[in-house]
Amino acid sequence: MPLLPSTAAAAAAALPRLRLRLPLPPRHCPQPLAPLRRAPHHSSPHPRLLPLAAALPPPPPEELPPSQATGLVAASQANFMRVIVDAAAPGLEHHRGSDLLCVVRALLKKIRRRVLVGDRVLVGAVDWADRRGMIEDVFERRSEVADPPVANVDRLVVLFSLDQPRPEPATLTRFLVEAESTGIPFVLVFNKAELVDEQTITYWQDRLKSWGYDPLFLSVDQQSGFSALEEMLEGQTTVVVGPSGVGKSSLINALRHNQNISEEDPIHKLLEQNSKWFGEQRVGTVSKKSGKGKHTTRHVSLLPVAGGGFLADTPGFNQPSLLKVTKQSLAETFPEIRKMLKANEPSKCLFNDCVHLGEHGCVVKGDWERYPYYLQMLDEIKIRETIQLRTFGTKREGDVRYKTGIMGVKQAEPRLELKKHRRVSRKKINQSILDEIEDDIDDLEDDYWFDAKRHSRR
Ligand code: GDP
Ligand code: ZN
């Protein structure tokens, strides 16, 4: 839960004292940092959406001092991030393509500038021998996906299987709506093609065509139907999403092993050095102290593929939250509605803010297959928005619970009565202070560990 202003102040007041107890050695910052812009506290209605990254582009390599580098965040694991170096100071170019284990500078967390896998970052205090560093700033972001949290994504693959499990139109629609809402190009792919006959494939092809999509069909098991997808993904950062069991991990592995990565490619070196580490990504670890594992249960890593591209491995992200979708934007995520609106141009629905319930003066007619899903999702979003506005003046996922209704479509309802929700118990407030302090102690420990390590090498 978000900290209330008073608890944030209390937590902040408690921290300096804690800080004094740790014998932190002075930190070396050879070059003044680029100005950090404070991200607005409530810049986004989405709780997990991230404040804007710095609008600054990376500096030219010749301006980097030997202790700094720029790179790509390839993975996050607990409080650490793996950064693949893409530029270092003159004379240190041979470190390109190698990776640094980094902590994130506490200040970045304080100003709520989240560092995401996929971000390009400035790493400072680099220890080239130990391959460690500290992320000091985040460069401009092209795009971001909130769920899973990945920055600079070029394409999404929405993966389903034709059998085991069979495609469920309601779930399919949910994933498609979520993908549409990101604004990032995506491709719909059906796996396990070898489990069904030609007619089934034609059936889904036609059905999806009527929805406005042109899916690819392949079989990871048979290694068939890959080439179209591979071509599409070359040189791009791709996130594969889809329900569990459809073959996301299998597809990611197959795509990686299909690639012949040349030995000259810096990625090759990285893979050799780190194959074990990347292979371990699926194993979630749990915080020793709290046993909660909150930072680690859903981590993300980018797996390098040939041609400079990356595939995001995102175990645990298989439930579209629809949090970016509003009741106004939902219609835009259905190609059927887009088509109807376009076909009727220049005439429009009578009301500008029409949500297309087929009322008088609405140009969206209800005789299409996914209309019931549209209506149910609209209901879900309306309920969520109402509750969020009433309780917090903002939008939060946790206030709504979902139950499966007719046709397997999830329906939203308030999780708690509104009155109860308004009053935050003292216990809860105390817990959130503890959480915050614990996070900060974690940060301090990272810093301390990091600095101690540096000093021991002197
Ligand atoms: P994920 O949960 O989406 O990551 O799915 P997994 O990659 O773990 O795969 C789920 C199951 O589907 C595993 O047993 C795979 O071996 C199986 N699987 C993956 N691809 C295929 C395929 O093309 N055909 C068949 N028959 N099974 C597949
Ligand atoms: Zn309308």
Side-chain angles (χ1 to χ4, degrees), residues 126-426:
V126 177
D127 180 333
W128 290 109
D130 251 10
R131 306 209 336 251
R132 290 180 197 279
M134 179 181 289
I135 295 175
E136 295 185 337
D137 206 356
V138 185
F139 299 124
E140 56 195 341
R141 233 172 237 165
R142 280 197 313 281
S143 68
E144 62 190 34
V145 179
D147 222 352
V150 186
N152 299 321
V153 175
D154 300 302
R155 190 181 292 275
L156 304 174
V157 170
V158 177
L159 188 69
F160 274 73
S161 54
L162 288 166
D163 205 354
Q164 300 175 19
R166 285 201 189 140
E168 245 214 62
T171 314
L172 198 45
T173 296
R174 223 179 150 82
F175 273 94
L176 290 169
V177 165
E178 182 89 335
E180 293 266 6
S181 77
T182 64
I184 297 167
F186 69 91
V187 55
L188 174 62
V189 178
F190 285 101
N191 183 28
K192 312 197 188 184
E194 93 285 357
L195 292 180
V196 299
D197 52 22
E198 273 296 315
Q199 285 97 306
T200 309
I201 293 179
T202 312
Y203 167 83
W204 281 107
Q205 204 157 27
D206 293 346
R207 192 163 177 190
L208 264 300
K209 197 169 175 204
S210 77
W211 296 8
Y213 297 101
D214 183 16
L216 297 177
F217 295 86
L218 53 79
S219 164
V220 175
D221 262 16
Q222 310 278 302
Q223 294 269 313
S224 65
F226 268 72
S227 50
L229 184 61
E230 271 175 337
E231 251 167 55
M232 226 178 255
L233 306 188
E234 209 177 275
Q236 306 216 314
T237 295
T238 305
V239 173
V240 182
V241 297
S244 62
V246 297
K248 292 185 296 299
S249 330
S250 312
L251 176 68
I252 289 168
N253 286 337
L255 285 171
R256 294 186 64 210
H257 295 141
N258 258 13
Q259 311 271 6
N260 293 318
I261 299 181
S262 93
E263 288 192 20
E264 279 99 72
D265 197 326
I267 296 286
H268 189 267
K269 183 164 116 200
L270 178 77
L271 283 178
E272 296 229 304
Q273 284 166 354
N274 284 294
S275 52
K276 184 159 166 283
W277 192 82
F278 280 112
E280 281 168 0
Q281 281 307 293
R282 295 196 160 269
V283 189
T285 51
V286 174
S287 159
K288 287 189 297 281
K289 260 175 294 151
S290 63
K292 276 185 286 188
K294 58 186 165 173
H295 299 296
T296 51
T297 42
R298 306 206 303 170
H299 49 224
V300 179
S301 58
L302 293 182
L303 308 169
V305 292
F310 292 91
L311 276 169
D313 191 13
T314 62
F317 292 90
N318 46 26
Q319 274 294 336
S321 62
L322 303 185
L323 281 171
K324 260 195 163 177
V325 191
T326 64
K327 58 178 188 291
Q328 293 305 329
S329 70
L330 181 65
E332 276 301 304
T333 67
F334 281 80
E336 301 95 317
I337 298 184
R338 293 202 295 260
K339 199 169 142 199
M340 277 184 259
L341 291 172
K342 198 149 193 271
N344 271 282
E345 270 173 357
S347 69
K348 291 180 181 155
C349 295
L350 189 57
F351 302 103
N352 260 343
D353 57 352
C354 183
V355 290
H356 315 302
L357 297 171
E359 320 89 328
H360 172 70
C362 176
V363 301
V364 175
K365 299 296 166 230
D367 57 350
W368 46 291
E369 187 195 346
R370 296 202 298 162
Y371 194 44
Y373 302 138
Y374 171 73
L375 295 178
Q376 278 163 27
M377 290 171 96
L378 188 65
D379 267 354
E380 174 184 329
I381 291 164
K382 272 186 190 164
I383 292 170
R384 188 197 71 211
E385 287 184 355
T386 311
I387 296 166
Q388 284 165 339
L389 283 174
R390 257 194 253 161
T391 48
F392 294 99
T394 175
K395 300 174 183 179
R396 277 167 44 102
E397 182 183 25
D399 311 327
V400 183
R401 84 190 171 109
Y402 299 96
K403 63 172 189 189
T404 306
I406 25 171
M407 298 165 83
V409 173
K410 287 193 172 165
Q411 290 183 322
E413 56 179 39
R415 189 184 286 284
L416 291 172
E417 283 168 41
L418 298 181
K419 259 194 221 151
K420 276 191 208 153
H421 229 341
R422 286 218 189 90
R423 238 185 38 221
V424 183
S425 74
R426 187 169 291 274

Side-chain angles (χ1 to χ4, degrees), residues 1-13 428-430 432-433 436:
M1 62 165 290
L3 274 183
L4 302 172
S6 61
T7 65
K428 263 196 189 153
I429 292 176
N430 288 344
S432 64
I433 295 174
E436 187 74 357

